[in-house]
Amino acid sequence: MMGTGLNLPGFSAMVNAWWFLLLAPLIIFYFLKLRRPRLEIPSLALWRQVISDQRVNSPFQKFKRNLLLLFQILLLCSLIISAMQPYLSTGAEQARYLPVLIDNSASMAALDGPNGKSRLDLAKEKVSKLIEDLLPDQRICLISISSTARKLTDFTDNKRLLNEAVSRLEVSQVPSRLEDGLRMAQAMSLQQPIDTVVLISDGNVPSEIEFELPYKLNFQKLDFAAANVGIVDFNARRSRTGWDVFARVEGTKQPDGDKGPPTAKTLCEYELLQNGQSIKQDTFSVEGGNAERLVFKVVTAVATSLELRIKPDAFDSLSSDNVAFLEIPAPRPLAVYCPMGMDTYRNALSAMPDINLYPGTDSEPKGVDLKFAEGPLSTGPEARVLFNVGFVPDDLSNLVELVSGQTEVVDWRRTAPLLQHVQLLDVQIADDPKLAKGVGERDFELAGYEILAQSRSGPLILERSNDGRLEYQFLFHTDRSSLVYRVGFPILVQNAIQIAAQRANLLDSKANPTGALPPQRISPDTGIHLTGPHGFAETAKSDKDGTITGLGAPYVGLYEITGGPEPLKIGASLMSSGETGLVAVEKLHFPEVSVTASSTVLKTDQPLWGWFALAGLFFLLIEWWYFQKRPSGVPA
Amino acid sequence: MESTKQFTSLLDNSTLGRVERMRLLPMRRLTNRSRGEHLAGKGGTSTEFNDYRDYAAGDDMRYIDWNIFSRLNRPYVKLYRHEEEMHVVILIDASASMRFGEKFEKAKQLAACFAVMGLMNLEKVSIFACQHAGQTPQILPPCTGRMSMKRIFSFLENLPPGGDFPIDEAVEAVLKQHRGRGVCVVLSDFLTFGAMERPMNQLFSAGLEIFGIQLLCALELNPELSGDLRFVDSETGMTLDVSSVGDLIGFYHDHLGGLQDHLATLCRQRNGRFLCMDAGLPLDTMLTDVLKRKGWVQ
């Protein structure tokens, strides 16, 4: 591409300037083949004098007399210049390949007033302008970013394709997360040279981004939306008499510097529905920038679905956060499987309330909430939380080896839920897991494990989250350590019980955020069909354990899973303080650089070929009219 | 009412009657030696009294005014004016350029009028019509008297237009054929590539007072043209490409005005007259409102 200085027109296809050579034959043929009507007059004597008059032969008069030629030259020049692809340089550095990241998270649906435009509409306008100003050798790739990134188009200069992709783009009612989009653009830079990436967003993104920018980021920030009130948290905690349900409603805060809409105290109506039946209605007020906490008591002995709806009396720019869903499970004892041989654990568990311990008097269920095991070939039901003791699992056998020897804990993560309030200092351990040669902590991370405690020679306790199942791996047997004699051991077992109870939603329950539904357990290898709001539909198949993960939930609303033993209804709510607050960051902080938002119009080179083509058409019409116009005074 | 038979197709009878009562008014008395109707500057033997002078020995006794002699007792001789003949030469440009509009028709009518005036004033009238360059002009030999009127009308009626005789050369050709002083009425459009100084000088030298009448049609006086045109000369067939004619009309008028001024100056400097007339004007208007008002005829 040829570029010229600031604000000077440049040409993308300079080679077409050769067509200017056509001017020579044009002029020659004009004078050779000029079609003039003949008019017999008495004498040329006077007209000869007129033609040879000095005034008539002034350059301007000559041009005026050859107006047809002038039009033809202008027409040809317009067409050639148009073919040379002129553009008006704005001084912005040109990027041949330009990825455009368009934020389509929930906050982009915020309107700037009643019947106003959404942020996404504004973003679409900006992108359309970019597409319109696309130069012939420029390629644009559109990427939508919400909680994940999605490539809408490949690098293309096909304006129709790009415009279609833009028109198809909808708001995804999920919180925004930029990293995926930035990484996708980085991955593209391996294929094409990418200097600049354009990000069009309302600024409602995390300001701290853990990503090393390998390119320039042009952050185009959209205007502020109007004020908003929304539910940012909806959860329940088990109480003695039932469930205490909590909801948190926030109003937008006016940004610093009096930018954005002013926030005022907003009166809201709310309605709580249980299984579709309204159980409470009231009003509350929330101040802009503050939060209001709503507390309800729900007494139920069975699983129930709660839905909270709020209705602000003032204009509310975002509607997706005005409703929240909460699934409350049926109360039941925690099912724990602990083999008969693990007496220390069974003793500790036997003293704890609300536990069904297996094997026992009752028949063994297919699945339990917590399972203890002391060997790799353990039998028993499937469990959400596994507590393996005294062996190295197969996938770690080449990383660590369990040998006999004396060791002790040198460090452990005191904040891990399992080890909270558990003192491991001076615990003597008769098993000594040793790292294989050349193996480090990184290898365990790659295998999906997190080290919770370690000795001098290797890890002792590992944690892994696998297919919705939480596994704790004790590489030593607690029975061959002094831990079982300490007060920390029953606390450890109690922590495991708490973790399992939480995983089974027996202690508390939180509203499911949009993005992805929580893993569901149905019968193994069963195909299901998921339907949701806005016509969302998806099919999936459970694995051999009967777990279905990765079910998408891009919209706020109720999702229904059919195809399993019985239909399931799960609600998904926005539950994002950031999205509801419509907080717009002015600066994105990356590890080494910061990118300041720019609300000005994106500088792009203005292609001018259309104007020249239009001028060519105009000259063609004028020339045709002039050519067809019969000279007056000449008899037909 | 029974219609009266027209004497000629050139003039209706009423116009002819009026023309017969008109006379040419030349600015100078350029006459021939032969006796005629025009009074010469010198004394003569006509019946019109001019002056008295003292009698000198040898004077004809018949011209002494005896009444004065009886009162004053001194002889005085009565002097009478001398009347000489004036030659009216009419030169009609009959080239192709005169075909446009009513130029040629009006030229023939005006020629007939001038000829009638000459004949009725007992002048010698001769007519020259110039058509093709290099050829001898068609000539109506000098004729006098009312009896020659029919001959003149017949000559003019049968005169066709066409040819490429430029007026400057035509004058020279005519002067080769003509002898005699008087008036030369040149009826032409005067649109020629040549210069008019030389023929004007020749006319003046030949003792002819120039009555230049330029007849132009509407296409020449006020051309309403526009666009790009290829003009074709009606006489020579030469072409001239002119673009945006409409824009040049102003310049055309300037040059036409310049030509008329130039011709008027040439005539005036040679004691002649020049007049440009629109060939579209009615003949009566030409005679009464133009020629009579301007003192060409009375």
Side-chain angles (χ1 to χ4, degrees), chain A residues 414-455:
Chain A
R414 291 165 178 80
T415 55
L418 184 66
L419 300 181
Q420 278 183 353
H421 310 297
V422 177
Q423 178 62 264
L424 295 178
L425 190 66
D426 295 333
V427 170
Q428 298 299 310
I429 300 168
D431 293 333
D432 188 11
K434 282 191 179 299
L435 286 176
K437 197 174 181 181
V439 173
E441 193 175 333
R442 176 77 179 152
D443 296 305
F444 288 92
E445 286 178 9
L446 291 175
Y449 287 91
E450 187 181 354
I451 298 173
L452 298 184
Q454 60 182 1
S455 66

Side-chain angles (χ1 to χ4, degrees), chain B residues 249-269:
Chain B
I249 295 298
F251 298 117
Y252 174 86
H253 283 295
D254 291 349
H255 283 274
L256 179 61
L259 173 67
Q260 290 169 353
D261 291 344
H262 177 63
L263 291 171
T265 305
L266 287 178
C267 294
R268 194 170 56 248
Q269 287 171 346

Side-chain angles (χ1 to χ4, degrees), chain A residues 247-543:
Chain A
R248 186 180 166 86
V249 180
E250 279 186 5
T252 49
K253 182 186 177 185
Q254 187 175 15
D256 296 335
D258 288 338
K259 296 175 184 172
T263 51
K265 201 167 189 176
T266 308
L267 189 70
C268 294
E269 291 177 21
Y270 74 84
E271 183 181 14
L272 183 67
L273 298 99
Q274 184 177 4
N275 293 330
Q277 300 292 319
S278 176
I279 57 171
K280 184 156 188 181
Q281 280 184 317
D282 206 345
T283 58
F284 67 98
S285 61
V286 59
E287 190 112 24
N290 292 333
E292 186 68 24
R293 192 167 186 245
L294 305 176
V295 182
F296 315 99
K297 277 213 173 286
V298 175
V299 179
T300 178
V302 294
T304 188
S305 296
L306 295 179
E307 182 180 344
L308 178 64
R309 293 182 176 278
I310 62 168
K311 190 178 175 188
D313 66 343
F315 175 72
D316 190 56
S317 65
L318 198 60
S319 60
S320 59
D321 56 1
N322 292 348
V323 62
F325 301 91
L326 181 65
E327 306 296 328
I328 292 181
R332 62 174 173 82
L334 190 73
V336 180
Y337 180 86
C338 187
M340 286 299 187
M342 300 179 75
D343 294 332
T344 50
Y345 288 92
R346 287 187 72 91
N347 286 337
L349 289 168
S350 62
M352 295 179 185
D354 293 332
I355 287 179
N356 278 348
L357 186 59
Y358 303 100
T361 53
D362 297 337
S363 60
E364 203 171 285
K366 281 186 180 178
V368 293
D369 299 310
L370 174 63
K371 176 181 166 184
F372 292 90
E374 55 180 351
L377 300 174
S378 67
T379 57
E382 291 293 321
R384 285 194 178 97
V385 180
L386 272 174
F387 201 98
N388 295 324
V389 179
F391 66 95
V392 177
D394 293 341
D395 52 345
L396 295 180
S397 57
N398 54 350
L399 301 180
V400 65
E401 185 187 6
L402 193 62
V403 297
S404 295
Q406 194 72 19
T407 188
E408 58 183 2
V409 179
V410 295
D411 189 23
W412 71 97
R413 283 184 54 188
R414 291 165 178 80
T415 55
L418 184 66
L419 300 181
Q420 278 183 353
H421 310 297
V422 177
Q423 178 62 264
L424 295 178
L425 190 66
D426 295 333
V427 170
Q428 298 299 310
I429 300 168
D431 293 333
D432 188 11
K434 282 191 179 299
L435 286 176
K437 197 174 181 181
V439 173
E441 193 175 333
R442 176 77 179 152
D443 296 305
F444 288 92
E445 286 178 9
L446 291 175
Y449 287 91
E450 187 181 354
I451 298 173
L452 298 184
Q454 60 182 1
S455 66
R456 293 184 192 284
S457 53
L460 292 171
I461 305 173
L462 299 169
E463 179 188 328
R464 181 171 76 159
S465 185
N466 185 19
D467 293 338
R469 193 167 58 182
L470 189 63
E471 292 178 14
Y472 290 103
Q473 193 70 43
F474 281 63
L475 299 184
F476 65 97
H477 202 301
T478 49
D479 288 353
R480 289 192 292 277
S481 71
S482 61
L483 179 64
V484 292
Y485 304 107
R486 301 177 69 150
V487 71
F489 182 70
I491 296 174
L492 178 75
V493 175
Q494 178 64 35
N495 286 346
I497 293 294
Q498 288 286 329
I499 292 169
Q502 276 182 342
R503 301 281 289 192
N505 288 336
L506 294 176
L507 293 181
D508 55 17
S509 179
K510 287 178 73 71
N512 298 315
T514 50
L517 293 176
Q520 301 295 319
R521 292 185 74 85
I522 56 169
S523 46
D525 295 324
T526 305
I528 60 104
H529 185 67
L530 175 70
T531 54
H534 302 287
F536 179 77
E538 196 176 277
T539 54
K541 191 176 181 183
S542 63
D543 60 10

Side-chain angles (χ1 to χ4, degrees), chain B residues 225-270:
Chain B
L225 302 171
S226 68
D228 298 344
L229 293 171
R230 174 164 293 170
F231 288 140
V232 182
D233 192 301
S234 61
E235 293 179 5
T236 62
M238 288 190 298
T239 60
L240 179 68
D241 290 344
V242 183
S243 302
S244 298
V245 177
D247 297 335
L248 304 180
I249 295 298
F251 298 117
Y252 174 86
H253 283 295
D254 291 349
H255 283 274
L256 179 61
L259 173 67
Q260 290 169 353
D261 291 344
H262 177 63
L263 291 171
T265 305
L266 287 178
C267 294
R268 194 170 56 248
Q269 287 171 346
R270 288 153 186 82

Side-chain angles (χ1 to χ4, degrees), chain B residues 4-296:
Chain B
T4 312
K5 189 181 177 185
Q6 294 294 320
F7 190 70
T8 173
S9 62
L10 294 172
L11 306 170
D12 58 38
N13 288 350
S14 61
T15 306
L16 181 59
R18 283 197 300 277
V19 170
E20 283 176 350
R21 292 190 294 275
M22 289 181 178
R23 293 291 180 272
L24 280 170
L25 282 178
M27 295 175 72
R28 295 186 68 197
R29 297 180 189 281
L30 299 171
T31 51
N32 296 316
R33 296 280 179 193
S34 54
R35 276 185 59 85
E37 285 291 302
H38 292 270
L39 294 171
K42 59 200 175 195
T45 57
S46 68
T47 55
E48 190 173 350
F49 172 76
N50 186 26
D51 204 354
Y52 291 100
R53 70 172 171 81
D54 291 338
Y55 174 78
D59 284 342
D60 192 345
M61 296 286 286
R62 291 176 297 172
Y63 293 106
I64 293 173
D65 190 332
W66 297 110
N67 291 330
I68 291 177
F69 179 79
S70 63
R71 285 201 300 272
L72 302 177
N73 205 26
R74 286 185 61 186
Y76 286 90
V77 176
K78 283 174 78 175
L79 297 180
Y80 294 88
R81 303 195 75 159
H82 183 77
E83 290 181 342
E84 289 180 347
E85 179 191 62
M86 188 177 74
H87 203 132
V88 177
V89 181
I90 299 171
L91 195 161
I92 298 177
D93 181 1
S95 63
S97 67
M98 294 294 285
R99 279 191 286 113
F100 290 81
E102 299 175 47
K103 282 159 66 174
F104 192 63
E105 290 305 314
K106 283 290 174 350
K108 288 197 294 184
Q109 288 177 338
L110 285 173
C113 291
F114 285 119
V116 169
M117 288 178 212
L119 291 177
M120 296 309 291
N121 206 24
L122 303 177
E123 317 289 4
K124 271 187 183 173
V125 176
S126 54
I127 300 176
F128 296 85
C130 305
Q131 286 182 314
H132 298 283
Q135 294 181 6
T136 309
Q138 292 189 49
I139 304 168
L140 177 71
C143 49
T144 55
R146 190 183 177 92
M147 295 300 291
S148 302
M149 204 180 290
K150 189 71 183 173
R151 195 172 149 213
I152 288 173
F153 288 153
S154 175
F155 175 80
L156 290 173
E157 284 167 358
N158 297 322
L159 198 60
D164 55 349
F165 218 144
I167 190 63
D168 50 328
E169 295 177 19
V171 170
E172 291 185 34
V174 167
L175 290 178
K176 286 178 186 171
Q177 307 291 326
H178 172 74
R179 291 289 179 275
R181 294 154 62 89
V183 173
C184 179
V185 181
V186 183
L187 295 162
S188 172
D189 51 14
F190 290 96
L191 298 177
T192 176
F193 295 103
M196 286 304 294
E197 283 85 351
R198 179 181 161 86
M200 292 288 186
N201 288 339
Q202 287 174 336
L203 285 172
F204 181 69
S205 304
L208 291 170
E209 182 180 335
I210 306 164
F211 275 33
I213 296 180
Q214 186 180 33
L215 288 166
L216 296 177
C217 63
L219 183 62
E220 293 156 323
L221 282 171
N222 189 23
E224 293 179 350
L225 302 171
S226 68
D228 298 344
L229 293 171
R230 174 164 293 170
F231 288 140
V232 182
D233 192 301
S234 61
E235 293 179 5
T236 62
M238 288 190 298
T239 60
L240 179 68
D241 290 344
V242 183
S243 302
S244 298
V245 177
D247 297 335
L248 304 180
I249 295 298
F251 298 117
Y252 174 86
H253 283 295
D254 291 349
H255 283 274
L256 179 61
L259 173 67
Q260 290 169 353
D261 291 344
H262 177 63
L263 291 171
T265 305
L266 287 178
C267 294
R268 194 170 56 248
Q269 287 171 346
R270 288 153 186 82
N271 293 317
R273 292 168 166 174
F274 178 79
L275 188 64
C276 177
M277 283 199 287
D278 182 358
L281 285 176
L283 183 64
D284 286 342
T285 308
M286 286 180 172
L287 291 171
T288 55
D289 289 358
V290 183
L291 294 175
K292 210 167 186 177
R293 280 179 189 276
K294 288 187 176 291
W296 286 42

